[in-house]
Amino acid sequence: MSTIDDERFLQYAAELSRRQLSETYGGPFGAVVVRDGRIIGEGANAVTAVNDPTAHAEIVAIRAACAAEGSFSLAGATIYASCEPCPMCLAASYWARVSRIVFAATRAEAAAAGFDDAFIYDEIPKPREKRSLAMEHRPNATASDTLAAWLAKADRIAY
């Protein structure tokens, strides 16, 4: 992908985020997924519009791209985002197997605008017992047996 293409797709993502200001549809974030020089999915933040805390622009764009491509893998694709992805969106990008992320505003700029992801970034590397969100490990035979059955399943689709 050329620098010109990067700028063009990044500008489009930024315009999606700008559109959010006038539509009061969600937070000021936009993202597009591009493969082979064409947009295969786009999204704008819809958290408050649909009451879904996972409806970040990158997640919406990944969902749209996967639906359009008929695949859970976006290998070879680039996500262009108006802002540096939060931990959830970064993780989703890894799960989707995107090859690259290009973003405009930094997470420090987002924090200055009231979207501070630093707390989550700081929580993730902590041991479970040190996180502010209570987590309990309670072993369950059915859950463990199901994982073993998955591993033995001959027709499983690995992801």
Side-chain angles (χ1 to χ4, degrees), residues 118-133 135:
F119 172 74
I120 300 170
Y121 275 107
D122 291 344
E123 283 283 296
I124 290 172
K126 291 179 182 177
R128 284 191 304 257
E129 63 278 359
K130 300 277 187 187
R131 293 181 183 147
S132 65
L133 177 61
M135 296 181 72

Side-chain angles (χ1 to χ4, degrees), residues 19-142:
R19 194 176 313 152
Q20 294 298 83
L21 293 178
S22 61
E23 294 181 8
T24 318
Y25 186 69
F29 304 100
V32 293
V33 179
V34 175
R35 185 189 279 151
D36 298 326
R38 67 180 182 83
I39 294 173
I40 59 172
E42 67 178 64
N45 184 287
V47 170
T48 58
V50 298
N51 295 317
D52 179 353
T54 69
H56 289 202
E58 296 91 338
I59 302 290
V60 173
I62 287 169
R63 289 173 180 161
C66 288
E69 296 292 292
S71 175
F72 58 84
S73 175
L74 297 175
T78 298
I79 292 180
Y80 294 90
S82 64
C83 190
E84 184 175 357
C86 74
M88 176 183 66
C89 294
L90 181 59
S93 298
Y94 276 104
W95 277 112
R97 311 294 194 264
V98 298
S99 298
R100 145 181 203 251
I101 298 172
V102 178
F103 62 90
T106 66
R107 63 179 160 165
E109 290 174 283
F115 298 94
D116 194 353
D117 299 329
F119 172 74
I120 300 170
Y121 275 107
D122 291 344
E123 283 283 296
I124 290 172
K126 291 179 182 177
R128 284 191 304 257
E129 63 278 359
K130 300 277 187 187
R131 293 181 183 147
S132 65
L133 177 61
M135 296 181 72
E136 297 177 25
H137 174 225
R138 297 207 179 176
N140 177 284
T142 301

